[in-house]
Amino acid sequence: MISMTLSLDHLRRCTVAADLGASRTRIYLKQSGLIVDEPSVVAVNTKTGALLAVGSPAERMAGRTPANIRVVRPINGGTVVDIDMAQRMLRAMVGPKLRRAFRRKPLLRAAVCIPHDADPLARRAALETLIGLGARRVELVDSLVTAGIGCGLPVEQPEATMIVQVGAATTQVAVLSLGSIVAAEKVPIGGETFDRALVQHLRNQHELLLPSLAVRPLHQVLNGEMPQVTEVHGRDVATGLARTVKVDPESLRLAVRTPLTSLLDAIRAVLHRCPPDLVADLADRGIMLTGGAAQLPGLDTTLRENTGMPVNVAEDPGLCAVQGLGAMLEGRVRPVAVPEPAN
């Protein structure tokens, strides 16, 4: 049975909480806390089908493997795209910790965060992935609500709170009140989008190919922490030889302006659909940034300058969704306040 629910009674019966994000998988075990926080990556031998590595060891293999070893991501944009491989990955990640839980409580219930506008196929894939691990029932919970709870927002109160969940592949923007989503917007912009924009700029303007690990230091361009001229090391497109070029940080900032504009447009669209009373709440409370890419340098400053609203980055933003779902499992969340119907 698929249920998109915030029934705390149902969730308190669950033992396992999962956040199957685009870049990382996080598993929370009731009364034990977070037991898995690993990249959603699998390395598999294409000849034998054997699983060679999962998580961080598999991620380090990306771009460095021979032809018979394939590095795959069974979860894309928060949606399971390869159920069998996702089950094998989760089984290897949880290992004996979850097997002990299954022995103590064979009829296990699980809860999983899914994107706000997940279609029926995406919900079915998440459900089948968890059932394949042995769960008897799976509760599907909106990741925006769980992230709001996880970062300490009073989502159950009749006051507006705005959350911007910046993932690896997508960003979700929502205004929450009384435990529900008033307005929401999803854009295909995330941490990987900014990386691709920087890589593409260096390829087009300097004919330089960057190794994947060399992109992260360039994130400092967003908050102006780089010197006036920066040296970037990579591979020449034409010759294939190593080469160093000098880059103007301002040109890199221009390269990421397009995805930032799309993100700002999504925030404005959500505000436009909100009742005026809730927008007045947001002017004081501002925006809470969560998600794995929320700590992108300068992102909070850019949003603050362009919206005129206070912007805060959650503590451990990548863990907010799973920690919020874990709090619901543990019974640390108050019931949503629902007014009594008038007679």
Side-chain angles (χ1 to χ4, degrees):
M1 176 183 178
I2 297 181
S3 57
M4 180 61 130
T5 180
L6 261 182
S7 168
L8 294 177
D9 288 338
H10 288 167
L11 290 172
R12 284 180 189 136
R13 297 179 194 143
C14 296
T15 307
V16 176
D19 176 17
L20 307 178
S23 62
R24 297 186 75 86
T25 292
R26 299 173 174 99
I27 307 290
Y28 183 102
L29 186 60
K30 197 171 186 177
Q31 298 177 345
S32 296
L34 195 69
I35 60 170
V36 171
D37 182 7
E38 290 282 342
S40 305
V41 188
V42 177
V44 63
N45 188 319
T46 55
K47 293 181 179 177
T48 64
L51 215 62
L52 301 177
V54 297
S56 298
E59 188 177 49
R60 287 195 293 271
M61 293 182 184
R64 295 178 168 86
T65 60
N68 66 314
I69 297 176
R70 192 162 59 102
V71 176
V72 297
R73 292 182 177 271
I75 301 169
N76 182 26
T79 300
V80 178
V81 293
D82 186 335
I83 293 174
D84 177 61
M85 195 61 73
Q87 288 175 348
R88 294 177 69 187
M89 178 187 77
L90 290 172
R91 211 171 281 122
M93 284 179 173
V94 297
K97 296 176 182 175
L98 198 53
R99 282 199 289 271
R100 283 196 295 270
F102 274 105
R103 281 200 297 270
R104 289 197 305 269
K105 199 171 184 180
L107 299 178
L108 197 66
R109 290 183 178 219
V112 60
C113 303
I114 63 169
H116 171 63
D117 60 348
D119 57 44
L121 285 177
R123 294 204 289 267
R124 174 64 65 182
L127 177 133
E128 290 185 6
T129 300
L130 272 295
I131 284 182
L133 292 178
R136 179 174 68 95
R137 180 185 170 105
V138 179
E139 302 289 343
L140 305 180
V141 188
D142 197 308
S143 64
L144 287 170
V145 176
T146 61
I149 292 170
C151 62
L153 293 177
V155 298
E156 76 282 357
Q157 299 298 318
E159 300 170 0
T161 54
M162 176 174 260
I163 187 167
V164 176
Q165 191 174 30
V166 190
T170 58
T171 294
Q172 298 182 91
V173 182
V175 171
L176 298 92
S177 180
L178 282 172
S180 298
I181 292 168
V182 178
E185 191 81 20
K186 181 179 177 182
V187 286
I189 303 295
E192 293 171 356
T193 314
F194 294 103
D195 289 351
R196 283 196 300 270
L198 293 171
V199 169
Q200 195 63 41
H201 170 78
L202 288 166
R203 182 179 182 129
N204 293 343
Q205 300 298 319
H206 301 278
E207 297 184 343
L208 192 74
L209 287 176
L210 278 188
S212 55
L213 295 178
V215 182
R216 294 300 167 88
L218 296 181
H219 286 173
Q220 303 303 321
V221 300
L222 291 178
N223 61 356
E225 290 184 3
M226 296 182 75
Q228 289 187 347
V229 177
T230 303
E231 288 191 347
V232 179
H233 309 282
R235 194 184 80 191
D236 189 277
V237 172
T239 65
L241 299 175
R243 186 160 67 92
T244 300
V245 297
K246 291 185 177 180
V247 179
D248 174 19
E250 186 58 34
S251 68
L252 296 178
R253 278 192 282 274
L254 289 173
V256 299
R257 182 170 292 176
T258 301
L260 277 174
T261 302
S262 299
L263 179 53
L264 289 166
D265 288 344
I267 293 173
R268 293 188 188 104
V270 169
L271 290 172
H272 186 69
R273 297 205 301 271
C274 280
D277 290 347
L278 294 185
V279 175
D281 289 345
L282 295 173
D284 297 327
R285 183 164 289 138
I287 299 170
M288 180 66 78
L289 283 177
T290 71
Q295 291 176 315
L296 203 64
L299 181 59
D300 55 338
T301 306
T302 303
L303 294 182
R304 195 177 297 118
E305 289 172 353
N306 285 273
T307 63
M309 297 165 63
V311 178
N312 299 298
V313 181
E315 188 178 350
D316 292 328
L319 300 180
C320 286
V322 73
Q323 295 285 17
L325 191 53
M328 297 167 95
L329 265 60
E330 303 275 11
R332 298 198 303 267
V333 177
R334 287 176 293 175
V336 175
V338 179
E340 292 290 331
N343 292 326

